[in-house]
Amino acid sequence: MRTSIATVSISGSLVEKLHACAAAGFDGVEIFEPDLIASDHSPEEIRGLARRLGLTLDLYQPLRDIEGVDDETFAENLRRTAATFATAHRLGIGTVLVCSNVATATVDSDEHSADQLRRLGDVAARYDVRVAFEALAWGRFVDDYRRAWRIVELADHPAVGVCLDSFHVLSRGHDPAAIEDIPGEKIFYLQLADAPALSMDVLSWSRHHRLFPGEGDFDLATFVAHVLATGFDGPLSLEVFNDTFRQTDPDRTAVHALRSLIWLQDKVAALPGVRRAAGLTPVADAKPPVGFDFVELKAEDTSDVEILLEQLGFVAGGRHRTKPVSLWTAGDVRVVLNEHQARDRTPHVAAVGLQVPDGDATSRRAADLMAPVAYRRTHASEQALGGAIAPDGTEFFWVTAPPAGSPPPWVAEFENGLPPDSASPLTHVDHVNLAVPWQTSDEAVLFLTSVFGLAADAPTEVAGPRGLVRSQVMRTDDGSIRLPLNVAPQVLEASEMPQHVAFACADVVAFARQARSRGLRFLAVPDNYYDYVAGRFGVEESVVAELRELDLLYDRNRDGAFIHFYTRTVGSVFFEFVQRIGDYDGYGTDNAPVRLAAQRVRTTG
């Protein structure tokens, strides 16, 4: 289907926005009136620029507080609308958005509003434009799309139809099924936005917290399916009011936005009963990852990490035959240390490897979704990995999962190493925690959702010494992949937030004793914490004493228990070792403030 986006959804001047939307691959745009007013280009110049860029101008908006008023006020409104229709005509735009009245409405009557829309249609027809009437969620009298449609029906004018906006429908909890009662030719425009589930007034929610499809909690696929069932054949258009998107790079945001529409079309096409003739853009099908393949740490000098890995019982698995890269293993766990092109960089998580059911399918899907390609130089005898770059710069690579018990083929590229220790108590990578900048956190959610099929858990907030850390876990249903995304407080850059890799242990207490015997320094935990654990959980004194001795942390819920510990931070990376007991599925979130405070003490002490 054709795609469009409102210029209010991205930053920059109107000219910059048009260039960004065209470069991303959008078919058209909605012109937001304030963008035109602030522009030093005439409507004719904007029309010509759009034509040269290959963009259609699909909608001019908004006309506010028009209907539901007394006759004297409406006479003035007709003068105002005529001027707006004239501007739309100069732009070459055939549809103007008219919002339901939120401020000046005094007559609560469908017949009265319909009569005024009919008269508005007469004026619009003289300028060769149409009126798309939209029920705002906070409209004074008209706040439901079903009532807006009744008014349009009563108006019975060929130049008057409805505009459907997913936010205004879904934020109020209205059932979108009745959309199918509207003839497709009377749906003059469709606007789409996602949003998180929030408890706040709908106006503030709408103005500041809309998201692109796939980043929030709305069921947009079903909403769009209802619209397509009417025979609607207009563009899928994004109207996203969001404080972040309106201050970040417009070129990047436009690509991000189009990716969300491609993902949405894929979700709609997968619904049963959706018309195949709807022209939805196909996306290659790829199953979610089945496990972690490797974690890569990068630095100019990785020797401090090597010492840490040795203390943790990892085995040096060899040096890459063509690159300054080494492999470290513990059972089936693989850590890659990369010193290639890393001048002045301290250790950090640079890449995450995933095992997927079909690597080629994942590569095709990533390409369809315009994921930036992660390039790695490879020789003819080396395995080429599929790869994409996440919004925070972390590289994700994938390989087709090898048979059980077999390493992936790329491991053979590492020479002169020791074989993995099959008796290692480490079983797998439990999760990889990434620090993401605030301005790319929503984009990161969409990237992981669309490319890899991960789902987003409900976000949590953790109190740290320098502010709240917002965390959202992206994961597969079975938990084989878990990627907590931590958004730093605004006083910190994302680079100041440590990242960490968590490894699962069969017996974390025994593993901690072994690591300590090899000289490992654990992250120190204050005594007050163990008094708290004893009081909260009623843990036996002997168990508390063992936890205290080894600097272990503890959590428990009705599903099971969680025991874990942390290493010191090297560069911006530390390791965590965890044991899940029973069906415990969390991350010891209540222990995070203790960890953040301990890391703060070590950093400043």
Side-chain angles (χ1 to χ4, degrees):
M1 294 191 70
R2 293 182 60 251
T3 58
S4 189
I5 184 172
T7 56
V8 73
S9 305
I10 58 178
S11 67
S13 68
L14 180 54
V15 169
E16 290 172 328
K17 294 180 182 193
L18 293 178
H19 277 279
C21 294
F26 276 96
D27 300 307
V29 297
E30 308 173 22
I31 299 292
F32 197 56
E33 184 180 56
D35 285 328
L36 179 67
I37 294 171
S39 175
D40 57 0
H41 289 63
S42 69
E44 289 79 11
E45 289 173 319
I46 294 299
R47 179 178 183 174
L49 174 61
R51 183 172 59 250
R52 291 192 297 275
L53 292 173
L55 291 171
T56 58
L57 299 182
D58 299 326
L59 184 75
Y60 189 58
Q61 64 136 326
L63 259 174
R64 301 185 185 279
D65 300 329
I66 300 297
E67 48 71 45
V69 298
D70 59 66
D71 291 341
E72 181 179 354
T73 302
F74 188 66
E76 171 61 20
N77 289 351
L78 281 180
R79 182 201 63 76
R80 179 159 58 93
T81 58
T84 299
F85 294 153
T87 299
H89 183 74
R90 292 174 64 191
L91 287 163
I93 296 178
T95 305
V96 174
L97 179 70
V98 174
C99 303
S100 63
N101 200 321
V102 302
T104 63
T106 57
V107 183
D108 185 9
S109 164
D110 289 356
E111 290 75 12
H112 186 79
S113 291
D115 177 67
Q116 294 185 340
L117 283 184
R118 188 181 308 113
R119 294 163 64 186
L120 204 65
D122 290 338
V123 177
R126 295 203 295 268
Y127 293 91
D128 196 25
V129 299
R130 305 184 304 173
V131 171
F133 184 52
E134 175 184 64
L136 294 180
W138 54 92
R140 184 169 185 186
F141 298 130
V142 182
D143 60 6
D144 188 324
Y145 78 94
R146 291 163 292 197
R147 187 172 185 186
W149 166 235
R150 285 198 302 272
I151 292 170
V152 167
E153 274 192 300
L154 289 171
D156 191 24
H157 194 289
V160 178
V162 295
C163 173
L164 297 175
D165 184 312
S166 62
F167 182 86
H168 296 304
V169 176
L170 301 178
S171 67
R172 295 295 301 268
H174 296 318
D175 185 354
I179 289 173
E180 298 191 25
D181 297 332
I182 306 174
E185 65 271 14
K186 294 301 285 184
I187 301 176
F188 283 3
Y189 210 73
L190 172 65
Q191 294 176 319
L192 300 169
D194 209 336
L198 299 174
S199 297
M200 63 188 308
D201 69 276
V202 287
L203 177 57
S204 297
W205 191 8
S206 173
R207 285 288 177 262
H208 302 285
H209 300 286
R210 293 195 190 197
L211 297 169
F212 291 125
E215 298 173 346
D217 297 302
F218 288 167
D219 183 0
L220 291 184
T222 299
F223 177 87
V224 172
H226 287 307
V227 177
L228 296 183
T230 70
F232 171 78
D233 61 357
L236 301 180
S237 189
L238 296 169
E239 186 192 43
V240 176
F241 297 88
N242 182 287
D243 296 345
T244 298
F245 302 152
R246 284 186 280 186
Q247 57 185 306
T248 50
D249 176 65
D251 294 308
R252 178 170 179 162
T253 303
V255 173
H256 171 195
L258 186 58
R259 182 182 299 122
S260 76
L261 276 184
I262 296 172
W263 171 85
L264 178 59
Q265 291 181 67
D266 186 48
K267 297 291 285 187
V268 176
L271 294 175
V274 172
R275 295 186 309 115
R276 294 302 168 189
L280 297 166
T281 299
V283 177
D285 184 33
K287 303 303 181 187
V290 295
F292 287 101
D293 191 48
F294 66 88
V295 177
E296 179 187 295
L297 308 182
K298 192 169 186 176
E300 181 177 14
D301 181 358
T302 61
S303 56
D304 284 346
V305 183
E306 292 176 6
I307 293 171
L308 189 58
L309 291 174
E310 281 187 329
Q311 292 172 330
L312 291 164
F314 279 75
V315 172
R319 191 84 168 170
H320 196 276
R321 57 183 175 232
T322 65
K323 305 167 190 172
V325 178
S326 60
L327 173 65
W328 290 74
T329 64
D332 291 331
V333 175
R334 290 174 288 276
V335 175
V336 173
L337 302 185
N338 187 352
E339 296 179 339
H340 184 55
Q341 296 181 340
R343 178 173 293 180
D344 297 328
R345 298 299 304 272
T346 59
H348 63 284
V349 176
V352 176
L354 305 173
Q355 293 188 355
V356 298
D358 184 338
D360 290 339
T362 299
S363 295
R364 290 192 296 271
R365 183 172 182 84
D368 286 346
L369 290 160
M370 304 185 301
V373 177
Y375 291 102
R376 288 286 176 94
R377 186 188 68 190
T378 56
H379 292 262
S381 61
E382 297 169 0
Q383 182 178 10
L385 306 180
I389 304 173
D392 70 318
T394 303
E395 295 178 327
F396 281 81
F397 295 95
W398 52 85
V399 297
T400 300
S406 300
W410 61 264
V411 170
E413 298 169 15
F414 290 81
E415 301 174 338
N416 302 316
L418 299 173
D421 179 7
S422 60
S424 172
L426 301 187
T427 57
H428 59 278
V429 175
D430 187 86
H431 59 276
V432 179
N433 191 309
L434 300 174
V436 297
W438 61 270
Q439 64 267 35
T440 65
S441 59
D442 294 319
E443 187 181 355
V445 170
L446 177 62
F447 171 82
L448 295 169
T449 299
S450 61
V451 176
F452 300 116
L454 305 188
D457 284 352
T460 59
E461 291 183 338
V462 175
R466 300 186 65 184
L468 288 177
V469 176
R470 183 179 182 272
S471 181
Q472 184 157 33
V473 177
M474 305 297 299
R475 56 172 290 168
T476 53
D477 291 340
D478 63 1
S480 59
I481 299 294
R482 303 169 187 260
L483 293 166
L485 307 179
N486 281 358
V487 181
Q490 291 192 3
V491 297
L492 296 177
E493 297 291 335
S495 59
E496 298 179 80
M497 283 282 293
Q499 307 160 305
H500 79 265
V501 183
F503 302 97
C505 300
D507 185 343
V508 74
V509 175
F511 181 79
R513 290 194 182 280
Q514 292 172 6
R516 178 155 289 182
S517 70
R518 299 188 190 102
L520 179 70
R521 286 186 298 155
F522 291 26
L523 184 68
V525 178
D527 281 344
N528 292 340
Y529 170 78
Y530 296 103
D531 295 337
Y532 159 79
V533 167
R536 178 183 178 187
F537 298 110
V539 179
E540 295 179 4
E541 286 187 17
S542 60
V543 175
V544 173
E546 188 172 52
L547 296 174
R548 190 192 309 266
E549 175 195 355
L550 297 172
D551 287 305
L552 300 177
L553 295 100
Y554 181 87
D555 190 31
R556 190 175 71 207
N557 59 28
R558 63 184 180 181
D559 298 319
F562 188 64
I563 305 174
H564 57 134
F565 73 89
Y566 303 103
T567 69
R568 60 188 174 89
T569 302
V570 178
S572 63
V573 181
F574 63 94
F575 297 131
E576 180 185 10
F577 295 85
V578 310
Q579 181 181 355
R580 298 178 181 275
I581 301 170
D583 294 325
Y584 184 96
D585 198 40
Y587 304 88
T589 302
D590 289 348
N591 295 331
V594 178
R595 187 258 300 171
L596 289 168
Q599 288 173 327
R600 172 72 170 161
V601 168
R602 176 163 291 278
T603 300
T604 60

